Amino acid sequence: MRVLVIGSGGREHALCRALASDPEVSELHCAPGNAGIASVAAVHPVVATDPGQVVALTGRLGADLVVVGPEAPLVAGVADAVRAAGVACFGPSAEAARIEGSKAFAKEIMTAAGVPTAGSRVCATPEEARAALEEFGAPYVVKDDGLAAGKGVVVTSDLDEALAHAAACERVVIEEYLDGPEVSLFALCDGTTAVPLQAAQDFKRALDGDQGPNTGGMGAYTPLPWAPEGLTGQVMSEIVLPTVQELARRGTPYTGVLYAGLALTEDGPKVIEFNARFGDPETQVVLDRLETPLATLLNACATGTLAAHPPLRHREGAAVTVVLAAENYPASPVTGDVIEGLDLPLKDAYILHAGTRSTSSGDVVSAGGRVLDIVGTGTTLDEARTAAYNALSGVHLRGSHHRTDIAARAARH
């Protein structure tokens, strides 16, 4: 199988690393890729959100399977264009990807499917926003209705901050706050069938103790020793499958990964958000634990044959990833600084590149807000944490920052 991955972040490096280990993969390509991805796949320049460019590259490479990583190309219709060209594609259609592209559409689908989620109001004016905020009360949850790269959500007890975020967006969804620990569950779908990967938890706030601004995610871990028994089965039967069935009923079958961001409330799991792609940085730990060859699995989703695929296998043990972020992330990250220590030998750990590029002089420099994902593994979460942080200690990026408490509480469980 010749496989082309679309994207340039840590999620795509994790996907390429897993795909490269599948014996069915004869060629692995990534567009546009990054400095780290170039070590496991041939990288190609492309505008990832341009369906024509992606289809042209697919044809030149003779790709058998295209895997679309980020949400923006999906919403732009890249998966539709690839499928129209007769090539298998892992990733939902633009219409189905609205489950992430529009928070209002996602709420509509959940209501129709009877999926448990927060009460909400769609607001397009300051007056509507104020009324909804007063109805639900603090903490206030305000979500940009459109794509915002994981950073369009404000959760605050400050009414003025909530109103300001609403005013800065064209349309928002204002929700009741869901109290309880958060869980990420990815389900691989082929339009009718869905199978779950291991549940994970990520850390959205920039600073230790869940302080500071919201980010795209500062770290993640799996498994979850504290999660209630049977959680995955419950989420699949009450949330994922009804959603997939509702989309199919509407004539927009969902092919790809459906990411359910959940709050485990006193009334059971409820959906905080759906995403139309692998979550970042949860993908880095979930794929580390997946033993089933990835290309064969994603191809089964893309070709509607998931029901015939053997049951998934996962490795024992744990994985923890810690994000090394650039100076001033998430506000206005500083880029272009040289990263040192990438070639040091590591024990039970490895480094995935999230926002990097190579210079003409051969240096690897920062090229985004989240620069590196350091993944540690072990038989326990404590061992995996230790491995990740030991590896991180050898890397230097001027002005960078990271959280020191990723998976700390879970490791003590």
Side-chain angles (χ1 to χ4, degrees):
M1 224 187 312
R2 291 182 294 273
V3 182
L4 169 61
V5 176
I6 302 300
S8 62
R11 162 186 47 226
E12 286 75 40
H13 194 175
L15 284 163
C16 285
R17 182 179 182 272
L19 289 164
S21 68
D22 187 334
E24 291 295 314
V25 175
S26 55
E27 289 180 27
L28 182 58
H29 302 268
C30 186
N34 63 35
I37 291 172
S39 65
V40 292
V43 297
H44 308 269
V46 75
V47 177
T49 51
D50 185 325
Q53 286 195 28
V54 174
V55 167
L57 177 62
T58 300
R60 287 199 301 274
L61 298 176
D64 303 300
L65 173 67
V66 175
V67 178
V68 184
E71 60 275 22
L74 293 167
V75 172
V78 166
D80 305 79
V82 170
R83 277 193 278 271
V87 179
C89 185
F90 180 85
S93 66
E95 183 64 24
R98 289 178 66 209
I99 200 138
E100 176 169 3
S102 168
K103 300 290 189 293
F105 175 75
K107 287 292 186 182
E108 179 192 322
I109 292 292
M110 285 186 267
T111 299
V115 168
T117 187
S120 65
R121 298 284 180 271
V122 179
C123 304
T125 67
E127 293 75 21
E128 289 174 352
R130 182 178 287 276
L133 290 167
E134 289 174 352
E135 176 188 352
F136 290 124
Y140 305 108
V141 181
V142 185
K143 298 180 175 181
D144 189 338
D145 183 42
L147 283 183
K151 295 184 283 291
V153 180
V154 164
V155 180
T156 180
S157 294
D158 184 330
L159 180 59
D160 289 337
E161 184 184 356
L163 286 166
H165 183 60
C169 304
E170 192 171 322
R171 191 165 80 147
V172 292
V173 174
I174 292 174
E175 297 184 353
E176 65 174 326
Y177 177 74
L178 294 179
D179 197 16
E182 294 186 14
V183 172
S184 301
L185 187 74
F186 304 159
L188 304 181
C189 312
D190 73 350
T192 53
T193 303
V195 296
L197 298 176
Q198 277 190 328
Q201 186 177 56
D202 78 333
F203 294 74
K204 289 288 187 213
R205 299 285 185 170
L207 307 176
D208 283 7
D210 294 326
Q211 300 298 304
N214 246 8
T215 73
M218 294 297 291
Y221 69 94
T222 191
L224 311 182
W226 48 267
E229 196 171 340
L231 173 65
T232 296
Q234 182 183 5
V235 172
M236 291 299 291
S237 64
E238 295 180 5
I239 292 171
V240 171
L241 290 170
T243 301
V244 170
Q245 288 160 2
E246 176 61 22
L247 287 165
R249 188 187 67 76
R250 292 174 178 228
T252 53
Y254 194 95
T255 301
V257 61
L258 182 63
Y259 164 134
L262 309 162
L264 304 190
T265 72
E266 289 182 351
D267 300 323
K270 293 187 178 183
V271 176
I272 299 171
E273 64 174 354
F274 279 131
N275 290 329
R277 37 71 192 181
F278 282 105
D280 189 341
E282 300 99 316
T283 302
Q284 288 80 319
V285 292
V286 169
L287 291 186
D288 182 274
R289 297 291 87 194
L290 180 66
E291 194 171 9
T292 297
L294 186 62
T296 315
L297 178 57
L298 300 188
N299 192 59
C301 294
T303 56
T305 58
L306 189 57
H309 191 280
L312 303 194
R313 303 188 311 275
H314 293 91
R315 297 183 184 89
E316 295 293 319
V320 172
T321 188
V322 182
V323 171
L324 182 71
E327 181 181 3
N328 210 30
Y329 174 78
S332 51
V334 176
T335 60
D337 285 307
V338 174
I339 306 164
E340 298 171 338
L342 292 174
D343 297 327
L344 293 175
L346 302 178
K347 185 177 188 302
D348 299 326
Y350 53 92
I351 295 172
L352 299 172
H353 291 228
T356 68
R357 64 178 177 85
S358 297
T359 65
S360 55
S361 60
D363 288 327
V364 175
V365 300
S366 57
R370 293 185 293 175
V371 181
L372 300 173
D373 302 310
I374 292 84
V375 182
T377 64
T379 56
T380 65
L381 279 173
D382 194 45
E383 288 179 8
R385 283 192 81 244
T386 299
Y389 282 107
N390 284 346
L392 179 59
S393 68
V395 178
H396 180 71
L397 171 62
R398 188 200 62 76
S400 64
H401 61 98
H402 65 274
R403 285 185 57 160
T404 66
D405 62 348
I406 303 299
R409 189 182 304 169
R412 296 193 297 268
H413 193 277

